[in-house]
Amino acid sequence: GEVGVLPGRAPLIGRLGTGELRINKGGTTQRFFVDGGFVQVRDDAVSVLTSRAMPESEIKPEAARSALAAATEALAKAKGGEAQEAQLAAQEKARAQLRIAGHRKA
């Protein structure tokens, strides 16, 4: 899901999934790929704790496409269980990076 935070919002603590973090401020939008973590909203401040936050400018679409292809191939060979879950997670990460990189201005 998605959550927008406006001034005066009630306090919130939540868990982040893998995907896009957008920061809209002063008419500009910054995009980041995050690989899970936590978010806290308190007193009109937003804190994000994640092990990985990659700015849109650092995402390499070709590397993400290669990672997606490798995960798709490995998933086809996976016998289920943890191996399959790991490849599905790898696909999700690569797809998220490609979506974020797709917003870049040419």
Side-chain angles (χ1 to χ4, degrees):
E2 204 169 294
V3 173
V5 178
L6 295 172
R9 190 191 194 308
L12 164 81
I13 295 178
R15 190 167 174 204
L16 296 174
T18 297
E20 181 178 14
L21 171 69
R22 286 188 310 271
I23 301 172
N24 299 316
K25 188 173 182 181
T28 62
T29 301
Q30 293 177 292
R31 289 180 166 83
F32 297 85
F33 167 77
V34 293
D35 195 2
F38 298 91
V39 63
Q40 177 184 18
V41 179
R42 184 171 165 212
D43 298 329
D44 290 337
V46 178
S47 301
V48 175
L49 178 63
T50 182
S51 61
R52 185 174 182 202
M54 182 186 307
E56 174 184 21
S57 61
E58 292 181 14
I59 296 173
K60 297 181 177 26
E62 194 53 48
R65 280 192 278 282
S66 294
L68 178 58
T72 301
E73 184 178 320
L75 181 60
K77 297 176 184 175
K79 303 282 190 232
E82 289 181 22
Q84 190 173 21
E85 287 179 31
Q87 297 313 315
L88 288 169
Q91 283 183 328
E92 180 183 359
K93 291 175 187 181
R95 285 187 178 116
Q97 289 181 18
L98 289 169
R99 274 192 308 275
I100 296 164
H103 290 284
R104 279 194 204 139
K105 293 181 175 91

